[in-house]
Amino acid sequence: MNAPSTPPTDTSDSVALRRPRLALVTGMSGAGRSTASHVLEDEGWFVVDNLPPQMLGPLADLALRDSAALPRLAAVVDVRGRSFFVALTDALTDVRSKGLDLVVMFLEADDATLVRRFESVRRPHPLQPPGTVLQAIQQERELLHGLRNAADILIDSSEMNVHQLSAKVRAALGGDESDNDLHLTVVSFGFKHGIPLDAENVADVRFLPNPHWIPHLRGKNGLDAEVADYVFAASGATQFVDAYTEYLKVVTRGYRADGKRFAVAAVGCTGGKHRSVAMAQELARRLTGDGVRALAAHRDLGKE
């Protein structure tokens, strides 16, 4: 018998690899949307700035009609759209119904950082008149609360300079559109500097002995083998990393099944220099594989 002339049915995975990508870049004014859009342009994305949400549907239709010429589109949507912004939820639902690979990136920063940035450039916040810049920021944060919670990628730029933010955006969206792995960032931090706002999961390793109180280890950090050996020799350290690894494996399997491709897990100690750094390194090593690309990042390393 001759082989059928029609091609075999594509699997869902192979179809997903060929779907054009649409990235929605949004978030707080002053948090780095312009930087993100410039990075995406440099990475070969076609970027549309200040797009009214009602135009997301036509943009998605364009991507579907000519996916070869426009495989990656990015739209910057923010409160400059004013009344248009309330239509964003319906617009996102409509775009997802068209079958595009949609990613929502939300950029944020804490109030003090945003106030400082607006004061440094001497430009008003889009929602500022007639109130203060802080009142405008708080109003915007309330307006965007639901969208923040629904974002696929959440980036807190409070502690970042423009180069660090660019690297973060590039790591999140600058890769090959056929990449369906979950990109997991394991962030070490110090509780005295605050919990990372973009972390979905947070663990506390302050129960372990602090190398800071060991004179010959104080000036080193968790990247040094001597410090890591001390951390993992402590009672409970091995049990913790075993248990937290298994927990995160369950979580990441769920993320992948749900189509989530970017996640942040954080592990903290007092200053973010010794215990959390060693633990983040080990967790990233253990979690890499089975569709997960794990990378350790150390937010507070080098701070006093």
Side-chain angles (χ1 to χ4, degrees), residues 183-196:
H183 294 254
L184 175 68
T185 303
V186 185
V187 179
S188 70
F189 71 96
F191 277 95
K192 73 177 184 179
H193 301 297
I195 296 174

Side-chain angles (χ1 to χ4, degrees), residues 129-262:
T132 65
V133 64
L134 180 58
Q135 289 172 330
I137 290 168
Q138 292 169 342
Q139 179 184 352
E140 183 181 30
R141 198 178 298 282
E142 182 178 352
L143 177 65
L144 300 182
H145 177 73
L147 184 57
R148 178 193 184 277
N149 291 340
D152 301 293
I153 305 168
L154 179 63
I155 297 179
D156 176 16
S157 68
S158 301
E159 300 290 334
M160 297 181 188
N161 60 37
V162 65
H163 304 293
Q164 292 168 326
L165 176 57
S166 296
K168 185 84 169 182
V169 173
R170 188 171 292 108
L173 287 178
D176 185 351
E177 63 265 29
S178 67
D179 174 16
N180 275 347
D181 286 348
L182 172 69
H183 294 254
L184 175 68
T185 303
V186 185
V187 179
S188 70
F189 71 96
F191 277 95
K192 73 177 184 179
H193 301 297
I195 296 174
L197 297 177
D198 52 355
E200 288 96 347
N201 296 275
V202 178
D204 183 354
V205 294
R206 288 176 294 181
F207 69 93
L208 298 173
N210 192 347
H212 174 81
W213 303 114
I214 308 301
H216 70 282
L217 298 180
R218 181 174 301 174
K220 299 179 183 292
N221 60 62
L223 298 177
D224 295 305
E226 194 175 2
V227 173
D229 289 344
Y230 177 87
V231 170
F232 287 105
S235 175
T238 300
Q239 294 93 322
F240 170 83
V241 73
D242 287 345
Y244 197 46
T245 298
E246 290 307 308
Y247 161 76
L248 287 176
K249 284 183 176 180
V250 173
V251 171
T252 55
R253 282 196 294 270
Y255 285 161
R256 294 190 67 226
D258 195 42
K260 187 176 178 70
R261 288 182 298 171
F262 304 93

Side-chain angles (χ1 to χ4, degrees), residues 9-301:
T9 302
D10 287 311
T11 64
S12 58
D13 286 343
S14 63
V15 172
L17 293 180
R18 289 203 302 271
R19 289 186 301 177
R21 293 178 70 182
L22 175 62
L24 180 73
V25 180
T26 187
M28 298 294 294
S29 300
R33 292 189 310 260
S34 295
T35 297
S37 67
H38 293 155
V39 169
L40 294 180
E41 285 181 347
D42 291 343
E43 291 292 325
W45 291 69
F46 187 90
V47 180
V48 183
D49 191 22
N50 197 17
L51 185 76
Q54 289 92 330
M55 295 300 296
L56 278 174
L59 189 65
D61 292 335
L62 177 62
L64 288 168
R65 283 198 305 270
D66 199 359
S67 60
L70 297 170
R72 295 195 293 179
L73 287 165
V76 181
V77 178
D78 51 66
V79 293
R80 287 176 294 174
R82 302 295 177 107
S83 61
F84 295 114
F85 201 81
V86 298
L88 184 57
T89 300
D90 291 340
L92 290 175
T93 301
D94 177 56
V95 169
R96 288 192 170 100
S97 71
K98 297 177 185 294
L100 265 82
D101 183 6
L102 174 67
V103 177
V104 178
M105 172 183 284
F106 190 98
L107 294 139
E108 70 174 356
D110 59 52
D111 288 354
T113 299
L114 293 175
V115 169
R116 187 167 60 251
R117 289 175 182 172
F118 274 104
E119 289 178 344
S120 67
V121 298
R122 298 184 179 181
R123 293 182 61 190
H125 187 283
L127 300 180
Q128 186 171 346
T132 65
V133 64
L134 180 58
Q135 289 172 330
I137 290 168
Q138 292 169 342
Q139 179 184 352
E140 183 181 30
R141 198 178 298 282
E142 182 178 352
L143 177 65
L144 300 182
H145 177 73
L147 184 57
R148 178 193 184 277
N149 291 340
D152 301 293
I153 305 168
L154 179 63
I155 297 179
D156 176 16
S157 68
S158 301
E159 300 290 334
M160 297 181 188
N161 60 37
V162 65
H163 304 293
Q164 292 168 326
L165 176 57
S166 296
K168 185 84 169 182
V169 173
R170 188 171 292 108
L173 287 178
D176 185 351
E177 63 265 29
S178 67
D179 174 16
N180 275 347
D181 286 348
L182 172 69
H183 294 254
L184 175 68
T185 303
V186 185
V187 179
S188 70
F189 71 96
F191 277 95
K192 73 177 184 179
H193 301 297
I195 296 174
L197 297 177
D198 52 355
E200 288 96 347
N201 296 275
V202 178
D204 183 354
V205 294
R206 288 176 294 181
F207 69 93
L208 298 173
N210 192 347
H212 174 81
W213 303 114
I214 308 301
H216 70 282
L217 298 180
R218 181 174 301 174
K220 299 179 183 292
N221 60 62
L223 298 177
D224 295 305
E226 194 175 2
V227 173
D229 289 344
Y230 177 87
V231 170
F232 287 105
S235 175
T238 300
Q239 294 93 322
F240 170 83
V241 73
D242 287 345
Y244 197 46
T245 298
E246 290 307 308
Y247 161 76
L248 287 176
K249 284 183 176 180
V250 173
V251 171
T252 55
R253 282 196 294 270
Y255 285 161
R256 294 190 67 226
D258 195 42
K260 187 176 178 70
R261 288 182 298 171
F262 304 93
V264 178
V267 55
C269 60
T270 303
K273 180 179 179 181
H274 297 106
R275 293 165 291 182
S276 62
V277 171
M279 196 63 67
Q281 288 289 123
E282 179 63 13
L283 286 165
R285 185 188 70 81
R286 292 187 180 206
L287 290 164
T288 295
D290 296 328
V292 176
R293 301 187 188 187
L295 173 71
H298 309 295
R299 190 193 71 177
D300 298 329
L301 195 59

